[in-house]
PDB file of all heavy atoms in Angstrom:
ATOM      1  N   PRO A   8      54.163-136.053 -61.646  1.00 97.00           N
ATOM      2  CA  PRO A   8      54.647-134.812 -61.029  1.00 97.00           C
ATOM      3  C   PRO A   8      54.279-134.659 -59.562  1.00 97.00           C
ATOM      4  O   PRO A   8      55.060-134.111 -58.777  1.00 97.00           O
ATOM      5  CB  PRO A   8      54.015-133.713 -61.886  1.00 97.00           C
ATOM      6  CG  PRO A   8      52.851-134.361 -62.562  1.00 97.00           C
ATOM      7  CD  PRO A   8      53.235-135.791 -62.763  1.00 97.00           C
ATOM      8  N   LEU A   9      53.100-135.139 -59.152  1.00 97.00           N
ATOM      9  CA  LEU A   9      52.681-134.939 -57.763  1.00 97.00           C
ATOM     10  C   LEU A   9      53.595-135.672 -56.785  1.00 97.00           C
ATOM     11  O   LEU A   9      53.866-135.178 -55.695  1.00 97.00           O
ATOM     12  CB  LEU A   9      51.230-135.393 -57.581  1.00 97.00           C
ATOM     13  CG  LEU A   9      50.182-134.539 -58.301  1.00 97.00           C
ATOM     14  CD1 LEU A   9      48.789-135.095 -58.044  1.00 97.00           C
ATOM     15  CD2 LEU A   9      50.261-133.082 -57.847  1.00 97.00           C
ATOM     16  N   LEU A  10      54.076-136.849 -57.191  1.00 96.00           N
ATOM     17  CA  LEU A  10      55.039-137.571 -56.362  1.00 96.00           C
ATOM     18  C   LEU A  10      56.266-136.709 -56.100  1.00 96.00           C
ATOM     19  O   LEU A  10      56.770-136.636 -54.971  1.00 96.00           O
ATOM     20  CB  LEU A  10      55.459-138.862 -57.071  1.00 96.00           C
ATOM     21  CG  LEU A  10      56.661-139.598 -56.464  1.00 96.00           C
ATOM     22  CD1 LEU A  10      56.300-140.190 -55.115  1.00 96.00           C
ATOM     23  CD2 LEU A  10      57.170-140.681 -57.414  1.00 96.00           C
ATOM     24  N   TYR A  11      56.725-136.033 -57.138  1.00 97.00           N
ATOM     25  CA  TYR A  11      57.933-135.221 -57.026  1.00 97.00           C
ATOM     26  C   TYR A  11      57.710-133.980 -56.178  1.00 97.00           C
ATOM     27  O   TYR A  11      58.560-133.611 -55.374  1.00 97.00           O
ATOM     28  CB  TYR A  11      58.459-134.871 -58.422  1.00 97.00           C
ATOM     29  CG  TYR A  11      59.327-135.979 -58.959  1.00 97.00           C
ATOM     30  CD1 TYR A  11      58.767-137.227 -59.263  1.00 97.00           C
ATOM     31  CD2 TYR A  11      60.688-135.837 -59.084  1.00 97.00           C
ATOM     32  CE1 TYR A  11      59.544-138.274 -59.693  1.00 97.00           C
ATOM     33  CE2 TYR A  11      61.493-136.873 -59.522  1.00 97.00           C
ATOM     34  CZ  TYR A  11      60.920-138.093 -59.826  1.00 97.00           C
ATOM     35  OH  TYR A  11      61.708-139.127 -60.238  1.00 97.00           O
ATOM     36  N   TYR A  12      56.582-133.325 -56.353  1.00 97.00           N
ATOM     37  CA  TYR A  12      56.316-132.129 -55.547  1.00 97.00           C
ATOM     38  C   TYR A  12      56.147-132.487 -54.073  1.00 97.00           C
ATOM     39  O   TYR A  12      56.664-131.785 -53.195  1.00 97.00           O
ATOM     40  CB  TYR A  12      55.088-131.381 -56.085  1.00 97.00           C
ATOM     41  CG  TYR A  12      55.372-130.678 -57.390  1.00 97.00           C
ATOM     42  CD1 TYR A  12      54.720-131.035 -58.557  1.00 97.00           C
ATOM     43  CD2 TYR A  12      56.333-129.668 -57.455  1.00 97.00           C
ATOM     44  CE1 TYR A  12      55.005-130.396 -59.758  1.00 97.00           C
ATOM     45  CE2 TYR A  12      56.625-129.032 -58.647  1.00 97.00           C
ATOM     46  CZ  TYR A  12      55.957-129.398 -59.801  1.00 97.00           C
ATOM     47  OH  TYR A  12      56.257-128.770 -60.984  1.00 97.00           O
ATOM     48  N   GLU A  13      55.457-133.581 -53.802  1.00 97.00           N
ATOM     49  CA  GLU A  13      55.282-133.975 -52.402  1.00 97.00           C
ATOM     50  C   GLU A  13      56.610-134.361 -51.764  1.00 97.00           C
ATOM     51  O   GLU A  13      56.991-133.853 -50.706  1.00 97.00           O
ATOM     52  CB  GLU A  13      54.314-135.160 -52.288  1.00 97.00           C
ATOM     53  CG  GLU A  13      54.126-135.622 -50.840  1.00 97.00           C
ATOM     54  CD  GLU A  13      53.406-136.946 -50.699  1.00 97.00           C
ATOM     55  OE1 GLU A  13      53.491-137.777 -51.627  1.00 97.00           O
ATOM     56  OE2 GLU A  13      52.781-137.153 -49.651  1.00 97.00           O
ATOM     57  N   ASN A  14      57.340-135.240 -52.420  1.00 97.00           N
ATOM     58  CA  ASN A  14      58.556-135.788 -51.822  1.00 97.00           C
ATOM     59  C   ASN A  14      59.649-134.736 -51.694  1.00 97.00           C
ATOM     60  O   ASN A  14      60.274-134.591 -50.643  1.00 97.00           O
ATOM     61  CB  ASN A  14      59.054-136.961 -52.659  1.00 97.00           C
ATOM     62  CG  ASN A  14      60.100-137.786 -51.943  1.00 97.00           C
ATOM     63  OD1 ASN A  14      59.958-138.085 -50.759  1.00 97.00           O
ATOM     64  ND2 ASN A  14      61.158-138.134 -52.642  1.00 97.00           N
ATOM     65  N   ASN A  15      59.895-133.981 -52.748  1.00 98.00           N
ATOM     66  CA  ASN A  15      61.044-133.085 -52.769  1.00 98.00           C
ATOM     67  C   ASN A  15      60.821-131.796 -51.992  1.00 98.00           C
ATOM     68  O   ASN A  15      61.772-131.238 -51.442  1.00 98.00           O
ATOM     69  CB  ASN A  15      61.433-132.765 -54.213  1.00 98.00           C
ATOM     70  CG  ASN A  15      61.919-133.995 -54.966  1.00 98.00           C
ATOM     71  OD1 ASN A  15      61.893-135.104 -54.445  1.00 98.00           O
ATOM     72  ND2 ASN A  15      62.363-133.811 -56.204  1.00 98.00           N
ATOM     73  N   LEU A  16      59.586-131.320 -51.927  1.00 98.00           N
ATOM     74  CA  LEU A  16      59.340-130.056 -51.234  1.00 98.00           C
ATOM     75  C   LEU A  16      58.992-130.252 -49.765  1.00 98.00           C
ATOM     76  O   LEU A  16      59.496-129.529 -48.903  1.00 98.00           O
ATOM     77  CB  LEU A  16      58.235-129.270 -51.951  1.00 98.00           C
ATOM     78  CG  LEU A  16      58.545-128.905 -53.409  1.00 98.00           C
ATOM     79  CD1 LEU A  16      57.401-128.079 -54.003  1.00 98.00           C
ATOM     80  CD2 LEU A  16      59.867-128.160 -53.552  1.00 98.00           C
ATOM     81  N   HIS A  17      58.142-131.217 -49.458  1.00 97.00           N
ATOM     82  CA  HIS A  17      57.765-131.433 -48.059  1.00 97.00           C
ATOM     83  C   HIS A  17      58.982-131.770 -47.205  1.00 97.00           C
ATOM     84  O   HIS A  17      59.149-131.270 -46.091  1.00 97.00           O
ATOM     85  CB  HIS A  17      56.726-132.555 -47.939  1.00 97.00           C
ATOM     86  CG  HIS A  17      55.353-132.140 -48.371  1.00 97.00           C
ATOM     87  ND1 HIS A  17      54.225-132.865 -48.076  1.00 97.00           N
ATOM     88  CD2 HIS A  17      54.924-131.076 -49.081  1.00 97.00           C
ATOM     89  CE1 HIS A  17      53.161-132.268 -48.577  1.00 97.00           C
ATOM     90  NE2 HIS A  17      53.572-131.187 -49.207  1.00 97.00           N
ATOM     91  N   SER A  18      59.845-132.639 -47.737  1.00 98.00           N
ATOM     92  CA  SER A  18      61.016-133.043 -46.956  1.00 98.00           C
ATOM     93  C   SER A  18      61.901-131.848 -46.628  1.00 98.00           C
ATOM     94  O   SER A  18      62.394-131.718 -45.504  1.00 98.00           O
ATOM     95  CB  SER A  18      61.813-134.104 -47.715  1.00 98.00           C
ATOM     96  OG  SER A  18      62.274-133.607 -48.963  1.00 98.00           O
ATOM     97  N   LEU A  19      62.102-130.962 -47.594  1.00 98.00           N
ATOM     98  CA  LEU A  19      62.932-129.777 -47.359  1.00 98.00           C
ATOM     99  C   LEU A  19      62.300-128.859 -46.318  1.00 98.00           C
ATOM    100  O   LEU A  19      62.979-128.383 -45.393  1.00 98.00           O
ATOM    101  CB  LEU A  19      63.148-129.018 -48.662  1.00 98.00           C
ATOM    102  CG  LEU A  19      63.891-127.682 -48.532  1.00 98.00           C
ATOM    103  CD1 LEU A  19      65.316-127.902 -48.022  1.00 98.00           C
ATOM    104  CD2 LEU A  19      63.892-126.945 -49.865  1.00 98.00           C
ATOM    105  N   ILE A  20      61.017-128.616 -46.444  1.00 98.00           N
ATOM    106  CA  ILE A  20      60.325-127.712 -45.517  1.00 98.00           C
ATOM    107  C   ILE A  20      60.380-128.244 -44.089  1.00 98.00           C
ATOM    108  O   ILE A  20      60.681-127.505 -43.143  1.00 98.00           O
ATOM    109  CB  ILE A  20      58.860-127.509 -45.966  1.00 98.00           C
ATOM    110  CG1 ILE A  20      58.821-126.694 -47.270  1.00 98.00           C
ATOM    111  CG2 ILE A  20      58.043-126.809 -44.877  1.00 98.00           C
ATOM    112  CD1 ILE A  20      57.465-126.694 -47.950  1.00 98.00           C
ATOM    113  N   TYR A  21      60.137-129.536 -43.909  1.00 98.00           N
ATOM    114  CA  TYR A  21      60.146-130.109 -42.560  1.00 98.00           C
ATOM    115  C   TYR A  21      61.546-130.060 -41.951  1.00 98.00           C
ATOM    116  O   TYR A  21      61.702-129.797 -40.748  1.00 98.00           O
ATOM    117  CB  TYR A  21      59.624-131.545 -42.589  1.00 98.00           C
ATOM    118  CG  TYR A  21      58.188-131.676 -43.048  1.00 98.00           C
ATOM    119  CD1 TYR A  21      57.708-132.854 -43.604  1.00 98.00           C
ATOM    120  CD2 TYR A  21      57.305-130.591 -42.956  1.00 98.00           C
ATOM    121  CE1 TYR A  21      56.394-132.975 -44.028  1.00 98.00           C
ATOM    122  CE2 TYR A  21      55.992-130.706 -43.385  1.00 98.00           C
ATOM    123  CZ  TYR A  21      55.535-131.895 -43.925  1.00 98.00           C
ATOM    124  OH  TYR A  21      54.234-132.001 -44.362  1.00 98.00           O
ATOM    125  N   LEU A  22      62.571-130.273 -42.763  1.00 98.00           N
ATOM    126  CA  LEU A  22      63.946-130.171 -42.256  1.00 98.00           C
ATOM    127  C   LEU A  22      64.259-128.744 -41.815  1.00 98.00           C
ATOM    128  O   LEU A  22      64.836-128.522 -40.747  1.00 98.00           O
ATOM    129  CB  LEU A  22      64.939-130.603 -43.334  1.00 98.00           C
ATOM    130  CG  LEU A  22      65.096-132.100 -43.582  1.00 98.00           C
ATOM    131  CD1 LEU A  22      65.989-132.332 -44.796  1.00 98.00           C
ATOM    132  CD2 LEU A  22      65.691-132.800 -42.353  1.00 98.00           C
ATOM    133  N   LEU A  23      63.885-127.773 -42.636  1.00 98.00           N
ATOM    134  CA  LEU A  23      64.179-126.380 -42.299  1.00 98.00           C
ATOM    135  C   LEU A  23      63.428-125.931 -41.048  1.00 98.00           C
ATOM    136  O   LEU A  23      63.953-125.156 -40.241  1.00 98.00           O
ATOM    137  CB  LEU A  23      63.832-125.470 -43.481  1.00 98.00           C
ATOM    138  CG  LEU A  23      64.769-125.589 -44.693  1.00 98.00           C
ATOM    139  CD1 LEU A  23      64.231-124.760 -45.852  1.00 98.00           C
ATOM    140  CD2 LEU A  23      66.191-125.156 -44.334  1.00 98.00           C
ATOM    141  N   GLN A  24      62.222-126.418 -40.867  1.00 98.00           N
ATOM    142  CA  GLN A  24      61.476-126.084 -39.655  1.00 98.00           C
ATOM    143  C   GLN A  24      62.201-126.613 -38.417  1.00 98.00           C
ATOM    144  O   GLN A  24      62.270-125.924 -37.387  1.00 98.00           O
ATOM    145  CB  GLN A  24      60.059-126.665 -39.744  1.00 98.00           C
ATOM    146  CG  GLN A  24      59.164-125.918 -40.729  1.00 98.00           C
ATOM    147  CD  GLN A  24      57.821-126.601 -40.953  1.00 98.00           C
ATOM    148  OE1 GLN A  24      57.665-127.800 -40.713  1.00 98.00           O
ATOM    149  NE2 GLN A  24      56.842-125.836 -41.421  1.00 98.00           N
ATOM    150  N   GLU A  25      62.759-127.816 -38.515  1.00 98.00           N
ATOM    151  CA  GLU A  25      63.494-128.384 -37.391  1.00 98.00           C
ATOM    152  C   GLU A  25      64.837-127.683 -37.188  1.00 98.00           C
ATOM    153  O   GLU A  25      65.303-127.536 -36.052  1.00 98.00           O
ATOM    154  CB  GLU A  25      63.693-129.888 -37.585  1.00 98.00           C
ATOM    155  CG  GLU A  25      62.403-130.687 -37.567  1.00 98.00           C
ATOM    156  CD  GLU A  25      61.583-130.490 -36.306  1.00 98.00           C
ATOM    157  OE1 GLU A  25      62.195-130.425 -35.213  1.00 98.00           O
ATOM    158  OE2 GLU A  25      60.344-130.403 -36.401  1.00 98.00           O
ATOM    159  N   CYS A  26      65.460-127.244 -38.275  1.00 98.00           N
ATOM    160  CA  CYS A  26      66.701-126.470 -38.154  1.00 98.00           C
ATOM    161  C   CYS A  26      66.452-125.214 -37.319  1.00 98.00           C
ATOM    162  O   CYS A  26      67.242-124.873 -36.421  1.00 98.00           O
ATOM    163  CB  CYS A  26      67.220-126.061 -39.540  1.00 98.00           C
ATOM    164  SG  CYS A  26      67.991-127.390 -40.471  1.00 98.00           S
ATOM    165  N   LYS A  27      65.381-124.527 -37.613  1.00 97.00           N
ATOM    166  CA  LYS A  27      65.041-123.295 -36.892  1.00 97.00           C
ATOM    167  C   LYS A  27      64.745-123.592 -35.424  1.00 97.00           C
ATOM    168  O   LYS A  27      65.209-122.887 -34.517  1.00 97.00           O
ATOM    169  CB  LYS A  27      63.834-122.634 -37.558  1.00 97.00           C
ATOM    170  CG  LYS A  27      63.544-121.229 -37.077  1.00 97.00           C
ATOM    171  CD  LYS A  27      62.404-120.625 -37.894  1.00 97.00           C
ATOM    172  CE  LYS A  27      62.144-119.187 -37.512  1.00 97.00           C
ATOM    173  NZ  LYS A  27      63.242-118.278 -37.915  1.00 97.00           N
ATOM    174  N   LYS A  28      64.009-124.678 -35.192  1.00 98.00           N
ATOM    175  CA  LYS A  28      63.606-125.037 -33.836  1.00 98.00           C
ATOM    176  C   LYS A  28      64.798-125.460 -32.988  1.00 98.00           C
ATOM    177  O   LYS A  28      64.879-125.130 -31.791  1.00 98.00           O
ATOM    178  CB  LYS A  28      62.573-126.168 -33.907  1.00 98.00           C
ATOM    179  CG  LYS A  28      62.072-126.652 -32.547  1.00 98.00           C
ATOM    180  CD  LYS A  28      61.030-127.755 -32.732  1.00 98.00           C
ATOM    181  CE  LYS A  28      60.585-128.322 -31.390  1.00 98.00           C
ATOM    182  NZ  LYS A  28      59.607-129.436 -31.568  1.00 98.00           N
ATOM    183  N   HIS A  29      65.761-126.175 -33.594  1.00 98.00           N
ATOM    184  CA  HIS A  29      66.854-126.783 -32.828  1.00 98.00           C
ATOM    185  C   HIS A  29      68.187-126.077 -33.026  1.00 98.00           C
ATOM    186  O   HIS A  29      69.203-126.539 -32.502  1.00 98.00           O
ATOM    187  CB  HIS A  29      66.993-128.263 -33.209  1.00 98.00           C
ATOM    188  CG  HIS A  29      65.833-129.107 -32.755  1.00 98.00           C
ATOM    189  ND1 HIS A  29      65.775-129.688 -31.509  1.00 98.00           N
ATOM    190  CD2 HIS A  29      64.679-129.447 -33.384  1.00 98.00           C
ATOM    191  CE1 HIS A  29      64.640-130.365 -31.397  1.00 98.00           C
ATOM    192  NE2 HIS A  29      63.961-130.241 -32.522  1.00 98.00           N
ATOM    193  N   GLY A  30      68.204-124.974 -33.765  1.00 97.00           N
ATOM    194  CA  GLY A  30      69.443-124.220 -33.936  1.00 97.00           C
ATOM    195  C   GLY A  30      70.492-124.926 -34.777  1.00 97.00           C
ATOM    196  O   GLY A  30      71.689-124.869 -34.475  1.00 97.00           O
ATOM    197  N   VAL A  31      70.051-125.608 -35.820  1.00 98.00           N
ATOM    198  CA  VAL A  31      70.984-126.252 -36.756  1.00 98.00           C
ATOM    199  C   VAL A  31      71.132-125.309 -37.949  1.00 98.00           C
ATOM    200  O   VAL A  31      70.202-125.130 -38.724  1.00 98.00           O
ATOM    201  CB  VAL A  31      70.459-127.626 -37.219  1.00 98.00           C
ATOM    202  CG1 VAL A  31      71.464-128.290 -38.161  1.00 98.00           C
ATOM    203  CG2 VAL A  31      70.160-128.524 -36.028  1.00 98.00           C
ATOM    204  N   TYR A  32      72.294-124.710 -38.109  1.00 97.00           N
ATOM    205  CA  TYR A  32      72.421-123.590 -39.050  1.00 97.00           C
ATOM    206  C   TYR A  32      73.265-123.873 -40.291  1.00 97.00           C
ATOM    207  O   TYR A  32      73.293-123.057 -41.203  1.00 97.00           O
ATOM    208  CB  TYR A  32      72.986-122.371 -38.318  1.00 97.00           C
ATOM    209  CG  TYR A  32      72.071-121.849 -37.234  1.00 97.00           C
ATOM    210  CD1 TYR A  32      72.540-121.631 -35.938  1.00 97.00           C
ATOM    211  CD2 TYR A  32      70.730-121.603 -37.499  1.00 97.00           C
ATOM    212  CE1 TYR A  32      71.689-121.167 -34.939  1.00 97.00           C
ATOM    213  CE2 TYR A  32      69.871-121.140 -36.505  1.00 97.00           C
ATOM    214  CZ  TYR A  32      70.355-120.915 -35.227  1.00 97.00           C
ATOM    215  OH  TYR A  32      69.522-120.458 -34.234  1.00 97.00           O
ATOM    216  N   ASN A  33      73.971-125.013 -40.329  1.00 98.00           N
ATOM    217  CA  ASN A  33      74.796-125.330 -41.498  1.00 98.00           C
ATOM    218  C   ASN A  33      74.050-126.320 -42.390  1.00 98.00           C
ATOM    219  O   ASN A  33      73.769-127.445 -41.968  1.00 98.00           O
ATOM    220  CB  ASN A  33      76.136-125.935 -41.058  1.00 98.00           C
ATOM    221  CG  ASN A  33      76.926-124.988 -40.185  1.00 98.00           C
ATOM    222  OD1 ASN A  33      77.103-123.819 -40.515  1.00 98.00           O
ATOM    223  ND2 ASN A  33      77.405-125.490 -39.045  1.00 98.00           N
ATOM    224  N   PHE A  34      73.737-125.885 -43.608  1.00 98.00           N
ATOM    225  CA  PHE A  34      72.840-126.672 -44.463  1.00 98.00           C
ATOM    226  C   PHE A  34      73.366-126.666 -45.899  1.00 98.00           C
ATOM    227  O   PHE A  34      73.554-125.598 -46.496  1.00 98.00           O
ATOM    228  CB  PHE A  34      71.436-126.064 -44.436  1.00 98.00           C
ATOM    229  CG  PHE A  34      70.344-126.956 -44.972  1.00 98.00           C
ATOM    230  CD1 PHE A  34      69.504-127.643 -44.110  1.00 98.00           C
ATOM    231  CD2 PHE A  34      70.142-127.090 -46.343  1.00 98.00           C
ATOM    232  CE1 PHE A  34      68.488-128.451 -44.596  1.00 98.00           C
ATOM    233  CE2 PHE A  34      69.135-127.894 -46.839  1.00 98.00           C
ATOM    234  CZ  PHE A  34      68.299-128.590 -45.960  1.00 98.00           C
ATOM    235  N   ILE A  35      73.610-127.849 -46.424  1.00 98.00           N
ATOM    236  CA  ILE A  35      74.035-127.985 -47.823  1.00 98.00           C
ATOM    237  C   ILE A  35      72.927-128.692 -48.600  1.00 98.00           C
ATOM    238  O   ILE A  35      72.441-129.747 -48.182  1.00 98.00           O
ATOM    239  CB  ILE A  35      75.354-128.764 -47.931  1.00 98.00           C
ATOM    240  CG1 ILE A  35      76.474-127.955 -47.287  1.00 98.00           C
ATOM    241  CG2 ILE A  35      75.688-129.061 -49.393  1.00 98.00           C
ATOM    242  CD1 ILE A  35      77.787-128.684 -47.212  1.00 98.00           C
ATOM    243  N   PHE A  36      72.547-128.076 -49.710  1.00 98.00           N
ATOM    244  CA  PHE A  36      71.433-128.593 -50.505  1.00 98.00           C
ATOM    245  C   PHE A  36      71.934-129.197 -51.810  1.00 98.00           C
ATOM    246  O   PHE A  36      72.725-128.593 -52.527  1.00 98.00           O
ATOM    247  CB  PHE A  36      70.435-127.471 -50.804  1.00 98.00           C
ATOM    248  CG  PHE A  36      69.278-127.911 -51.671  1.00 98.00           C
ATOM    249  CD1 PHE A  36      68.396-128.871 -51.210  1.00 98.00           C
ATOM    250  CD2 PHE A  36      69.089-127.376 -52.935  1.00 98.00           C
ATOM    251  CE1 PHE A  36      67.330-129.294 -52.002  1.00 98.00           C
ATOM    252  CE2 PHE A  36      68.026-127.773 -53.727  1.00 98.00           C
ATOM    253  CZ  PHE A  36      67.147-128.743 -53.259  1.00 98.00           C
ATOM    254  N   SER A  37      71.440-130.379 -52.086  1.00 98.00           N
ATOM    255  CA  SER A  37      71.756-131.078 -53.331  1.00 98.00           C
ATOM    256  C   SER A  37      70.863-130.541 -54.441  1.00 98.00           C
ATOM    257  O   SER A  37      69.719-130.943 -54.590  1.00 98.00           O
ATOM    258  CB  SER A  37      71.501-132.584 -53.123  1.00 98.00           C
ATOM    259  OG  SER A  37      71.497-133.267 -54.343  1.00 98.00           O
ATOM    260  N   SER A  38      71.403-129.610 -55.223  1.00 97.00           N
ATOM    261  CA  SER A  38      70.634-129.023 -56.311  1.00 97.00           C
ATOM    262  C   SER A  38      71.105-129.600 -57.637  1.00 97.00           C
ATOM    263  O   SER A  38      71.798-130.620 -57.683  1.00 97.00           O
ATOM    264  CB  SER A  38      70.750-127.498 -56.282  1.00 97.00           C
ATOM    265  OG  SER A  38      69.802-126.908 -57.157  1.00 97.00           O
ATOM    266  N   SER A  39      70.754-128.945 -58.725  1.00 93.00           N
ATOM    267  CA  SER A  39      70.977-129.551 -60.024  1.00 93.00           C
ATOM    268  C   SER A  39      71.097-128.504 -61.120  1.00 93.00           C
ATOM    269  O   SER A  39      70.495-127.423 -61.038  1.00 93.00           O
ATOM    270  CB  SER A  39      69.804-130.484 -60.350  1.00 93.00           C
ATOM    271  OG  SER A  39      69.812-130.870 -61.697  1.00 93.00           O
ATOM    272  N   CYS A  40      71.855-128.851 -62.146  1.00 92.00           N
ATOM    273  CA  CYS A  40      71.961-127.962 -63.301  1.00 92.00           C
ATOM    274  C   CYS A  40      70.644-127.857 -64.060  1.00 92.00           C
ATOM    275  O   CYS A  40      70.503-127.004 -64.946  1.00 92.00           O
ATOM    276  CB  CYS A  40      73.051-128.453 -64.243  1.00 92.00           C
ATOM    277  SG  CYS A  40      72.717-130.067 -64.990  1.00 92.00           S
ATOM    278  N   THR A  41      69.662-128.692 -63.720  1.00 87.00           N
ATOM    279  CA  THR A  41      68.371-128.603 -64.392  1.00 87.00           C
ATOM    280  C   THR A  41      67.699-127.250 -64.158  1.00 87.00           C
ATOM    281  O   THR A  41      66.818-126.868 -64.926  1.00 87.00           O
ATOM    282  CB  THR A  41      67.412-129.713 -63.913  1.00 87.00           C
ATOM    283  OG1 THR A  41      67.244-129.610 -62.496  1.00 87.00           O
ATOM    284  CG2 THR A  41      67.947-131.083 -64.263  1.00 87.00           C
ATOM    285  N   VAL A  42      68.119-126.519 -63.118  1.00 91.00           N
ATOM    286  CA  VAL A  42      67.506-125.211 -62.862  1.00 91.00           C
ATOM    287  C   VAL A  42      67.779-124.229 -64.003  1.00 91.00           C
ATOM    288  O   VAL A  42      67.058-123.247 -64.173  1.00 91.00           O
ATOM    289  CB  VAL A  42      67.966-124.591 -61.529  1.00 91.00           C
ATOM    290  CG1 VAL A  42      67.651-125.516 -60.371  1.00 91.00           C
ATOM    291  CG2 VAL A  42      69.443-124.241 -61.546  1.00 91.00           C
ATOM    292  N   TYR A  43      68.808-124.496 -64.812  1.00 90.00           N
ATOM    293  CA  TYR A  43      69.147-123.590 -65.907  1.00 90.00           C
ATOM    294  C   TYR A  43      68.304-123.848 -67.149  1.00 90.00           C
ATOM    295  O   TYR A  43      68.329-123.048 -68.089  1.00 90.00           O
ATOM    296  CB  TYR A  43      70.630-123.723 -66.270  1.00 90.00           C
ATOM    297  CG  TYR A  43      71.571-123.348 -65.156  1.00 90.00           C
ATOM    298  CD1 TYR A  43      72.415-124.297 -64.574  1.00 90.00           C
ATOM    299  CD2 TYR A  43      71.635-122.048 -64.677  1.00 90.00           C
ATOM    300  CE1 TYR A  43      73.293-123.958 -63.557  1.00 90.00           C
ATOM    301  CE2 TYR A  43      72.513-121.701 -63.651  1.00 90.00           C
ATOM    302  CZ  TYR A  43      73.340-122.659 -63.104  1.00 90.00           C
ATOM    303  OH  TYR A  43      74.208-122.307 -62.096  1.00 90.00           O
ATOM    304  N   GLY A  44      67.584-124.971 -67.169  1.00 84.00           N
ATOM    305  CA  GLY A  44      66.784-125.286 -68.339  1.00 84.00           C
ATOM    306  C   GLY A  44      67.649-125.390 -69.584  1.00 84.00           C
ATOM    307  O   GLY A  44      68.777-125.865 -69.545  1.00 84.00           O
ATOM    308  N   GLU A  45      67.104-124.920 -70.706  1.00 85.00           N
ATOM    309  CA  GLU A  45      67.875-124.857 -71.947  1.00 85.00           C
ATOM    310  C   GLU A  45      68.692-123.572 -71.911  1.00 85.00           C
ATOM    311  O   GLU A  45      68.152-122.479 -72.035  1.00 85.00           O
ATOM    312  CB  GLU A  45      66.930-124.852 -73.152  1.00 85.00           C
ATOM    313  CG  GLU A  45      67.586-125.159 -74.474  1.00 85.00           C
ATOM    314  CD  GLU A  45      67.942-126.632 -74.627  1.00 85.00           C
ATOM    315  OE1 GLU A  45      67.032-127.462 -74.759  1.00 85.00           O
ATOM    316  OE2 GLU A  45      69.152-126.922 -74.618  1.00 85.00           O
ATOM    317  N   PRO A  46      69.994-123.662 -71.699  1.00 89.00           N
ATOM    318  CA  PRO A  46      70.798-122.455 -71.452  1.00 89.00           C
ATOM    319  C   PRO A  46      70.947-121.576 -72.686  1.00 89.00           C
ATOM    320  O   PRO A  46      70.932-122.061 -73.825  1.00 89.00           O
ATOM    321  CB  PRO A  46      72.149-123.018 -71.009  1.00 89.00           C
ATOM    322  CG  PRO A  46      72.217-124.369 -71.646  1.00 89.00           C
ATOM    323  CD  PRO A  46      70.813-124.889 -71.656  1.00 89.00           C
TER     324      PRO A  46
END
């Protein structure tokens, strides 16, 4: 699990920080149906 938390969250946070700094405002995120769990 630690590999996943480090890789998936840090990368997103660092990108968003640069978006704010450089005025990049169009952002599409690759999400997943896994967020619904057992529906």
Side-chain angles (χ1 to χ4, degrees):
L9 292 180
L10 169 69
Y11 275 67
Y12 288 116
E13 179 192 28
N14 194 44
N15 295 4
L16 300 182
H17 285 195
S18 61
L19 174 63
I20 291 168
Y21 297 156
L22 283 173
L23 289 174
Q24 287 172 338
E25 295 304 320
C26 285
K27 191 175 184 69
K28 179 179 176 182
H29 292 273
V31 182
Y32 296 128
N33 300 311
F34 195 101
I35 294 174
F36 178 63
S37 167
S38 192
S39 167
C40 64
T41 58
V42 302
Y43 298 115
E45 196 74 70

